[in-house]
Each structure stands twice: as structure tokens, then as C-alpha cells.
Amino acid sequence: MLFNTPAFEQLVDALRRLPGVGKRSAERLALHLLSAPGEEALSLSEAIVEARRRITRCSQCCNLTDRDPCAICAHPGRDHGLICVVEHPSGAMAIEKAGAYKGLYHVLHGALSPLEGIGPDELAIDALLRRISGTVREIIVATNATAEGEATALYLSRVIGQRFGTAVTRIAHGVPMGSGLEYADDATLAHALEGRKQL
Ligand SMILES: [Zn+2]
């Protein structure tokens, strides 16, 4: 019997660590992978290994990229005086898809959360501070509309205001409270960016 075998449990545990996957879905996915033709599961595992090998963090904006600097940081047509700060690559992807923003990004890879032991050192905040120079006019904080996202926005505005005096703005709250940027539609995101306010 398959259930309770260590190999099956290990696969289910690995799948459960993926975002949005509960125990039932993990079991269903594991059963699918094990009963599908061998090459299907193999090509999935190879695609994961290959993507992990090729894709790294951009040394400037910390977004995920297959070249360094990434296509957005290297693009001469982007506005290099604007930096939009997001928690995760999915946030940058959502704003990029909305199509209204022409500046650069910075991906923190999380938000401040004292309860989970996530402080400034656990996020790509130093990398952001290193990018701020005289040519940067404005930092737009587009962290999520959660307690952690708000705390991160306040922290950034304090540190950046004290050290550099660069303008720090926060996107407007068209973005639903408690959710990530990737769940907002394109028009809402464009409005949220346009209606940003000084922090
Ligand atoms: Zn980049």
C-alpha cells in the first residue's frame, strides 16, 4: 500500500510547502505525479532544476532574472529616477503587466514581521539603500496592504528620509486590504500607483 510509505510522505511534505497547497491537494498532486507516465514527472523535476540553475537575483533590484543586471535595470528607456519597492517578484510582475509604470523596481523578498523573526537584515533593504543616489527622485513603496506591508513602508520612509532626504511615497489603497498586489486588476494597480501619497 502506497500510503504511509516514507517516499510518498516525503513527496507530499515537499508539495505542501508550496504556497496555496494544502494536505489534500498535495496528496492529489503526488498521486498524479506517481501515476502519470514517468517522463511527465521527470520533465517537471528537470524544469525545476534548470530554472533554479539559470535564474538568479538581479544584483541591482534583487528581482529574479536570467541575466544580470535584469532587462528592466539595463533598459535605457526606463526612468532610472523612480524605484518602486515591492515585497515579492509577483508584485513587480503585476505592476509590469498593468503597463502604466516606466520606472525601476526593488524586490525586498518579504516584509518586516517581528513575530516571525523577520527584521531589516532578512530583507533586501541594504541593497535598496545602496541604490539611492542623487539621480533617484522618488521611492514608491508598493508593499502589500497588510500590517507587515504597512510596517515595512513606515520603516523605509523613516530610514530613507533620515539618510537621504529622497521623497518616499506610498501607493493609494485601491489595492484590497490584507492582500498582495498580484490579486489586484490592472486598472486598480494603475490607479493605486497614480494616486500615491507622500509618506
Ligand atoms: Zn534588476
Side-chain angles (χ1 to χ4, degrees), residues 142-171:
T143 48
N144 296 341
T146 56
E148 292 81 10
E150 297 300 341
T152 308
L154 279 177
Y155 176 83
L156 288 178
S157 83
R158 220 176 46 230
V159 171
I160 294 168
Q162 276 169 2
R163 287 204 212 165
F164 306 95
T166 311
V168 181
T169 56
R170 179 88 172 105
I171 56 164

Side-chain angles (χ1 to χ4, degrees), residues 58 61 70 73:
C58 171
C61 69
C70 73
C73 286

